[in-house]
Amino acid sequence: MPDDVGDDFEKAHRDWRLKKVLSVAPLSKPGSAFAYSNAAFSVLAAIVEKVSRKSLDEYLRTRFFVPLKMQSTGYVLANIPRDSLAMGYFNGKPIGNVLDSIAPLGKDYWNLYGNGGMQSSPEDMYRWFRALRDGKVLT
């Protein structure tokens, strides 16, 4: 799959994104080469939503974040102080909080959904690291 089919903060509805991603010819024969793909993670997010019958955010929250006591992680974080979240950097310069950039897109932020755009506090990031390290997420 292509790495991407749109800019991160361009409005993109799920169905538009899936149609666009799936209309692009494969970069190589499946299984013959590796290429990272943000678009493939968005397709995976849509699959998780279809199979689980929950939004990706809700699925991740109930399956991982709540059991791991990660209260400040997700795509849409109401009532979380901005200064408690990790800040983004590009070329060593702060670019702020992704939530502020996602907010104007409403629910049409599928260029980041499944492949980025999630925010977390440093404490929750450490909880996630420990869960991965200790085999609580993947065996």
Side-chain angles (χ1 to χ4, degrees), residues 67-132:
L68 295 172
K69 297 181 176 45
M70 295 172 64
Q71 299 174 8
S72 300
T73 299
Y75 285 98
V76 179
L77 299 171
N79 305 318
I80 301 290
R82 294 292 190 254
D83 62 355
S84 70
L85 298 173
M87 299 302 285
Y89 291 84
F90 184 73
N91 289 332
K93 295 180 182 173
I95 58 172
N97 187 293
V98 172
L99 291 178
D100 297 329
S101 299
I102 287 177
L105 302 176
K107 294 184 183 255
D108 291 332
Y109 59 95
W110 270 82
N111 280 336
L112 285 174
Y113 203 61
N115 66 67
M118 187 175 288
Q119 287 287 275
S120 188
S121 68
E123 294 82 10
D124 275 8
M125 292 170 78
Y126 185 60
R127 284 183 185 93
W128 183 251
F129 163 77
R130 285 193 333 244
L132 284 171

Side-chain angles (χ1 to χ4, degrees), residues 2-97:
D3 180 31
D4 231 323
V5 294
D7 294 328
D8 285 352
F9 300 108
E10 175 185 359
K11 273 195 169 214
H13 185 269
R14 182 190 67 204
D15 295 343
W16 174 88
R17 178 136 171 105
L18 291 175
K19 183 178 178 182
K20 187 86 168 166
V21 168
L22 297 174
S23 72
V24 176
L27 300 176
S28 61
K29 180 180 172 189
S32 67
F34 172 81
Y36 178 83
S37 172
N38 278 335
F41 281 103
S42 293
V43 172
L44 179 60
I47 292 169
V48 168
E49 289 192 344
K50 177 121 176 130
V51 171
S52 71
R53 296 184 179 166
K54 298 177 180 178
S55 70
L56 179 63
D57 205 34
E58 182 182 352
Y59 176 81
L60 293 173
R61 190 171 38 258
T62 58
R63 174 68 175 87
F64 298 107
F65 303 151
V66 169
L68 295 172
K69 297 181 176 45
M70 295 172 64
Q71 299 174 8
S72 300
T73 299
Y75 285 98
V76 179
L77 299 171
N79 305 318
I80 301 290
R82 294 292 190 254
D83 62 355
S84 70
L85 298 173
M87 299 302 285
Y89 291 84
F90 184 73
N91 289 332
K93 295 180 182 173
I95 58 172
N97 187 293

